[in-house]
Amino acid sequence: MARVTTTGARTPFIAGNWKLNLDHLQSIAFVQKLAWSLKDARLDFNEVEVAVFPPFTDLRSVQTLISADKLPLKFGAQDLSEHDSGAYTGEISGAFLKALDCQYVIIGHSERRTLHNEGDDVVAAKTAAAVRHGLVPVVCVGETAEDLEKHGPSAVPVAQLKAAIAGLTAGTDIVVAYEPVWAIGSGQAATPEQAEQVAVQLRAVVADLLGQEAADATRILYGGSVKSGNIAGFMREPNVDGALVGGASLDIPEFSSIIRFQKHVGV
Ligand code: PGA
């Protein structure tokens, strides 16, 4: 599916970040059930793009299932190496992800920035590696509670996005995920107004660095305690084009309901 529809509108993108959950056998059962649930609900996959981001060891199983059953779901990895090959024990190359038909890869999630000390330089190198291998990077940015108090909501995400994409050529296809660190897994989501305010700033960064056309086509997601009860508010905002969902993406009825936001949102 194209990132923009025939009418030029950005295709909404709902992504499930499984984090360190579900092994490869569980992933097969999960993706099958999710696909059935969306089919039962008669989801129009032209109206929304759905992607799951399982752990590395699940990717081959998910790929095989999606391709054998021709499921209208996308998938990607949660991380990749900035290197293409070589003596990097434990790392996964973008080339390997591409060979598994991954379309997307999450980069710079706050858990990697914090728990694995990934700074802006590493995030930029990984973003470049993704693009080099034909993967669309889902670049995550977001402020901590302390940043929010000191600098407001947009300063840190804007600086992080600039650093991540400064080296890319104009027109590069990326997805941006605005995820306030304090909202992730906390049950306390940002308000739709705040998400919109930051999304506008982030789109301006994309326009500056990748051009207006890329900025118009780039999906900007909100992430952080998204659930079926609050997705509607985010999706009503003109610059929020989807969601990166953690915890709620592991619950099929809940994730399915988030994906079907159009049914209960009235947008
Ligand atoms: P959450 O996580 O939905 O569980 O808050 C979002 C994320 O980390 O991407």
Side-chain angles (χ1 to χ4, degrees), residues 17 19 109 179 183-185 224-225 244-247:
N17 173 12
K19 307 192 181 183
H109 190 280
E179 298 206 305
I184 295 176
S225 298
L244 182 54
V245 187

Side-chain angles (χ1 to χ4, degrees), residues 15-17 19 106 109-111 140 177 179-180 183-188 222-227 244-249:
N17 173 12
K19 307 192 181 183
I106 295 173
H109 190 280
S110 76
E111 284 148 20
C140 300
E179 298 206 305
I184 295 176
S186 67
Q188 196 206 334
Y222 166 77
S225 298
V226 169
K227 34 190 201 285
L244 182 54
V245 187
S249 77

Side-chain angles (χ1 to χ4, degrees), residues 138-156:
V138 179
V139 181
C140 300
V141 297
E143 81 288 357
T144 62
E146 205 186 334
D147 295 332
L148 179 66
E149 205 163 292
K150 273 199 206 143
H151 314 288
S154 21
V156 167

